[in-house]
Amino acid sequence: KDEADFVANVLSGQPDPPKYFAEMKKLNKEGPRILGGFARPAELPAADLSKVIASGAAVVDMRPAADFALGGVPGTINVPMNGSFTTWMGWLVPYNADFFLIGDAAAVDLAVRDLAMIGLDRVGEWFAPDVVGKWAAANSAPLSVIRSPSATPNSYSRPTGGLRRTLATEMP
């Protein structure tokens, strides 16, 4: 067999590289934006969540998948703060627009640092986890969940105009 057959055999069945790999190539060549450190963005009041979702901005709920499975705000996406967090974020969140987080202060601090390492440094603001219950009460609306335990980054596509789906992941 020749080299082309060998390469094809080795690469068959391999997943596509995460979308952020292309962004990392650019960052490695040009260097990252100068951030002046990793500062926690401002916390927004719960009353602002509907307006942020309506704007089409990505809103990422970082609560554990089990908590999200009990209820999430429609229009948000669940990416639990775990070992796969930056990989999922690199797949799902746009690099060229602000995005918002739902999580506690410690998780937000960790997310800001970890995401900057893959070039996702446009965290707009964040909401505390209690925003979920407050949103449901203020809107007299049920929380919703789309459960997809077998989801992979390849099985989810980012629609234009912002993330408008809710996805609970069961990845470690």
Side-chain angles (χ1 to χ4, degrees):
K1 295 193 176 217
D2 64 9
E3 181 180 351
D5 288 338
F6 173 77
V7 170
N9 187 43
V10 169
L11 296 178
S12 70
Q14 293 292 316
D16 290 333
K19 292 181 182 184
Y20 71 83
F21 277 26
E23 190 67 25
M24 293 307 301
K25 181 178 179 181
K26 177 182 160 192
L27 286 174
N28 288 335
K29 182 177 179 182
E30 300 173 8
R33 281 190 331 148
I34 304 298
L35 300 177
F38 302 116
R40 181 185 310 147
E43 181 179 358
L44 290 176
D48 288 358
L49 181 59
S50 291
K51 178 176 66 172
V52 170
I53 292 171
S55 78
V59 179
V60 178
D61 186 334
M62 300 186 302
R63 296 177 302 139
D67 292 349
F68 188 78
L70 297 174
V73 176
T76 66
I77 184 168
N78 180 236
V79 182
M81 178 54 83
N82 59 29
S84 300
F85 179 74
T86 53
T87 300
W88 278 99
M89 292 293 285
W91 275 97
L92 300 174
V93 177
Y95 280 82
N96 60 353
D98 289 349
F99 57 93
F100 299 79
L101 301 174
I102 297 174
D104 62 40
V108 170
D109 289 345
L110 184 60
V112 167
R113 187 201 66 191
D114 289 355
L115 294 173
M117 298 298 160
I118 64 165
L120 281 171
D121 55 15
R122 300 210 34 190
V123 178
E125 286 93 8
W126 64 285
F127 298 92
D130 65 355
V131 71
V132 175
K134 289 179 178 179
W135 179 90
N139 290 284
S140 299
L143 298 171
S144 68
V145 171
I146 297 173
R147 298 217 14 115
S148 183
S150 62
T152 66
N154 289 335
S155 68
Y156 186 85
S157 61
R158 182 180 342 158
T160 58
L163 296 169
R164 306 299 293 166
R165 305 264 317 238
T166 308
L167 172 70
T169 63
E170 294 288 332
M171 295 186 70

